[in-house]
Amino acid sequence: MNKITILWVDDEIDLLKPHIIFLEGKNYEVVTCKSGQDALEEIRSRNFDIVFLDENMPGISGLETLNEIKTIDAALPVVMITKSEEEYIMEEAIGSKIADYLIKPVNPNQILLSLKKNLDHSRLVSEKTTSNYQQEFRKIAMDLSMVNSYEEWADLYKKLIYWELQLEEIEDSGMFEILESQKVEANNQFGKFIEKNYTGWFHGGEGPVMSHTLFKELIKPEIEDTPTLLLVIDNLRYDQWFAFEDVLAPYYKKSKEEPYYSILPTATQYARNAIFSGLMPLGMEKKYPDWWKNDTDEGGKNLFEDKFLGEQLKRLGLELNWEYHKISSLKQGKNLSQNFRSQKKNDLTVLVYNFVDMLSHSKTEMDVIKELASNDKAYRSLTNSWFKNSPLLEIIQQAQSMGLKLIITTDHGTINVKQPSKVIGDKETSLNLRYKTGRSLTYNDNDVIEAKDPATIHLTSITMSSSFIFAKNDLFFAYPNNYNHYVSYYRNTYQHGGVSLEEMIIPFVVLEPR
């Protein structure tokens, strides 16, 4: 099959080298020139499948070049690219039968979408969902360049998930590829947002509800007057919640859904302890030194959640009958299901369920799980299948029959890691693949968000000179020793601890019994 050949005309074409490399990586052939006159000579001398044409060029303008192109080959698709949003230019271009119209600065995904729309149009528009996403794509791309608050990021992330779920049933790898590229770009921008704003959330800046404020801000108002089952499903991403939300419909109706933010690191010992204690790690270490454990300390890191919760309930003035349960195996789940009626006397039943966390770790360690959860779609499907057949659903059904309010939330999400980032540390450095804490860390600055003084974000220090680094996007940390084996083992596994939409923006949902 012959390559699709693109002519890209722009007097600043040298600045577009990354876009051209991107397209060449997608198996397109790109011919470039810097003026309208050169473009016309190229079109007269050879055949092209599509032209990307800058409007504002010295010599003959883009519109003049467009008119000349149409006299040479009226059927050749031309995509006009301009810095100007003036209406008369749009009208003239559209009147000249352009194929598409893009406003600078354009990103590679916009170019790719324009190619798909114009060169494979008949197949793409055969699906209404695909067509709708095409219409939405530009708005999302524009939002990505403008979003600048934690609320807007939560809304944008949920919008990306919506389209991912809409498109996943369509056998259209091209469109899904575009969405995946848009998700990568979103995480790139989100990392910059977190790097700029996260520290300020702890020092007077307006911030979102986070792990350590979740109980006071969102849970407390819900449990003061109504017997409640609080369900914390470890490691639950927003898309996984959407995947099994409908399973609950016969038993519960949703009364509230509000995204909140996991603290950094997005790891269980930090985020879940913060939920139950109502404190950041530095506060836990100072107030309850016997209950808080750092990464390098021996023993379990989440052994005192019930004690943390008891202390927080006292501070909040909540005099409740309550019980705490943690489920880490099928047997424990069945036992609680069989005896759940005993919870009827409680004002609050807290249930931590670890299945999704076990699933993500199993994907790393077991080849069969790697095959069953090879991508996000399969990961969602596996979570949904588990939930439908789990003791947890039986517990929820019993809670509904007992008239309990249901709150579903999580401590953090997880991301499918794709690219390694080399890091060097001493033997005291923590082992997590998405964050590291220790002394004398050596790393690629572009790959991480760093906290040289952990206290500024209320984290503890292993030593006086310890720092934290958090991996961005879908990166994972790998040591130079035995590098290739390590990378091969962990690539395409689900990890948490770093900075991504998937890990940080997570669901808080309140449901009332039907």
Side-chain angles (χ1 to χ4, degrees):
M1 182 177 175
N2 293 330
K3 282 186 177 181
I4 289 171
T5 305
I6 302 164
L7 176 63
W8 199 324
V9 191
D10 194 309
D11 60 313
E12 298 177 328
I13 197 69
D14 294 338
L15 300 178
L16 298 170
K17 187 66 175 175
H19 295 61
I20 293 164
I21 292 171
F22 173 83
L23 291 173
E24 289 173 341
K26 301 292 183 185
N27 209 32
Y28 294 100
E29 180 183 357
V30 184
V31 176
T32 64
C33 55
K34 296 186 176 183
S35 71
Q37 197 61 52
D38 291 343
L40 296 174
E41 291 177 13
E42 287 284 355
I43 290 168
R44 290 188 182 102
S45 65
R46 60 179 294 185
N47 292 323
F48 292 94
D49 296 291
I50 193 168
V51 177
F52 289 107
L53 178 62
D54 182 30
E55 176 358 70
N56 187 20
M57 294 185 295
I60 63 172
S61 71
L63 284 173
E64 292 169 331
T65 305
L66 173 64
N67 291 330
E68 289 296 318
I69 289 172
K70 289 300 179 180
T71 64
I72 299 169
D73 184 354
L76 179 60
V78 178
V79 177
M80 185 70 78
I81 303 175
T82 179
K83 293 179 181 176
S84 175
E85 295 186 59
E86 292 186 14
E87 195 169 310
Y88 82 91
I89 294 179
M90 291 185 181
E91 289 175 351
E92 282 196 44
I94 293 168
S96 301
K97 297 181 181 179
I98 59 167
D100 205 352
Y101 188 95
L102 301 176
I103 297 172
K104 288 185 175 181
V106 294
N107 64 48
N109 297 325
Q110 289 173 290
I111 297 296
L112 188 60
L113 178 62
S114 190
L115 289 168
K116 296 285 184 183
K117 284 167 58 179
N118 289 292
L119 302 179
D120 202 10
H121 186 72
S122 60
R123 179 172 63 86
L124 294 181
V125 298
S126 64
E127 293 286 350
K128 186 175 185 300
T129 301
T130 302
S131 178
N132 289 343
Y133 174 62
Q134 289 173 350
Q135 295 172 26
E136 186 73 7
F137 175 87
R138 287 188 195 179
K139 185 177 185 307
I140 294 174
M142 187 176 294
D143 288 345
L144 270 175
S145 66
M146 298 171 63
V147 61
N148 196 35
S149 71
Y150 62 83
E151 300 101 332
E152 291 171 339
W153 271 114
D155 289 342
L156 183 65
Y157 176 47
K158 289 173 67 176
K159 187 179 292 185
L160 287 169
I161 295 172
Y162 169 81
W163 284 109
E164 185 173 11
L165 296 177
Q166 292 294 308
L167 291 171
E168 74 174 14
E169 301 304 325
I170 300 172
E171 298 301 323
D172 188 335
S173 59
M175 288 307 296
F176 218 87
E177 195 174 292
I178 292 170
L179 176 66
E180 286 298 310
S181 296
Q182 201 162 49
K183 284 171 62 182
V184 170
E185 174 64 17
N187 262 326
N188 282 332
Q189 297 301 325
F190 181 69
K192 294 176 183 177
F193 171 78
I194 292 297
E195 190 165 24
K196 180 181 178 182
N197 293 282
Y198 185 80
T199 301
W201 292 345
F202 299 97
H203 299 278
E206 183 184 352
V209 174
M210 299 176 71
S211 308
H212 63 300
T213 58
L214 177 69
F215 213 98
K216 179 181 179 181
E217 298 295 329
L218 296 184
I219 297 175
K220 179 178 181 286
E222 300 291 341
I223 64 175
E224 289 180 300
D225 302 315
T226 308
T228 302
L229 170 61
L230 170 59
L231 174 59
V232 181
I233 303 178
D234 190 43
N235 227 11
L236 184 72
R237 300 192 334 180
Y238 229 117
D239 60 328
Q240 291 172 305
W241 155 246
F242 285 148
F244 69 69
E245 179 180 1
D246 288 347
V247 180
L248 296 175
Y251 316 106
Y252 277 92
K253 58 182 181 291
K254 184 168 63 178
S255 62
K256 181 177 184 178
E257 180 185 309
E258 184 169 335
Y260 86 98
Y261 278 64
S262 170
I263 64 167
L264 295 175
T266 48
T268 304
Q269 74 190 77
Y270 290 91
R272 203 161 74 207
N273 278 327
I275 290 172
F276 287 122
S277 69
L279 300 167
M280 286 294 289
L282 194 59
M284 286 181 257
E285 183 184 57
K286 289 179 178 178
K287 196 172 181 66
Y288 305 107
D290 293 337
W291 299 347
W292 170 259
K293 290 185 181 295
N294 285 311
D295 286 76
T296 55
D297 292 338
E298 294 293 327
K301 306 298 191 292
N302 286 82
L303 299 180
F304 301 100
E305 292 169 357
D306 56 341
K307 289 183 168 55
F308 278 135
L309 177 58
E311 291 297 303
Q312 181 174 195
L313 290 173
K314 289 178 187 175
R315 289 200 312 275
L316 295 175
L318 292 171
E319 297 181 1
L320 305 174
N321 290 324
W322 63 278
E323 286 188 36
Y324 164 93
H325 305 270
K326 183 184 292 187
I327 305 299
S328 300
S329 68
L330 179 62
K331 182 178 179 181
Q332 289 176 327
K334 286 183 174 179
N335 286 340
L336 182 60
S337 175
Q338 290 168 2
N339 297 289
F340 191 74
R341 289 282 168 183
S342 65
Q343 305 301 306
K344 191 170 179 62
K345 66 182 184 297
N346 293 331
D347 302 309
L348 175 65
T349 299
V350 178
L351 176 56
V352 174
Y353 221 99
N354 273 346
F355 174 82
V356 180
D357 183 57
M358 290 187 289
L359 175 62
S360 68
H361 290 303
S362 296
K363 177 171 164 54
T364 302
E365 297 159 8
M366 297 172 59
D367 289 340
V368 65
I369 300 296
K370 283 186 179 181
E371 290 191 28
L372 288 172
S374 59
N375 54 36
D376 285 354
K377 178 182 177 181
Y379 192 36
R380 283 190 294 272
S381 177
L382 197 57
T383 307
N384 193 29
S385 178
W386 157 74
F387 183 70
K388 287 179 178 178
N389 299 282
S390 69
L392 179 55
L393 182 57
E394 297 172 7
I395 290 169
I396 290 172
Q397 290 168 343
Q398 292 184 66
Q400 183 264 343
S401 69
M402 294 159 60
L404 301 183
K405 180 185 288 188
L406 175 63
I407 297 175
I408 295 179
T409 191
T410 186
D411 45 10
H412 56 78
T414 186
I415 187 168
N416 196 350
V417 295
K418 305 289 180 61
Q419 303 300 326
S421 177
K422 286 186 179 179
V423 65
I424 300 173
D426 63 24
K427 63 181 181 180
E428 295 297 315
T429 301
S430 61
L431 300 177
N432 190 285
L433 271 68
R434 290 280 292 165
Y435 76 91
K436 296 288 182 188
T437 180
R439 296 174 299 178
S440 305
L441 295 172
T442 303
Y443 46 86
N444 184 334
D445 290 347
N446 295 326
D447 293 348
V448 309
I449 292 176
E450 58 185 356
K452 291 187 176 179
D453 179 5
T456 61
I457 53 174
H458 296 271
L459 296 181
T460 58
S461 297
I462 297 172
T463 68
M464 290 290 289
S465 57
S466 291
S467 62
F468 274 83
I469 56 172
F470 309 101
K472 297 178 182 176
N473 211 325
D474 59 0
L475 294 164
F476 64 99
F477 294 129
Y479 294 111
N481 297 343
N482 207 11
Y483 181 78
N484 291 332
H485 171 76
Y486 192 85
V487 169
S488 175
Y489 185 76
Y490 285 107
R491 191 193 301 273
N492 198 34
T493 64
Y494 286 92
Q495 304 294 335
H496 52 81
V499 177
S500 68
L501 293 160
E502 291 89 337
E503 291 163 289
M504 290 191 74
I505 300 179
I506 45 181
F508 173 83
V509 187
V510 181
L511 303 106
E512 302 288 346
R514 289 191 182 278

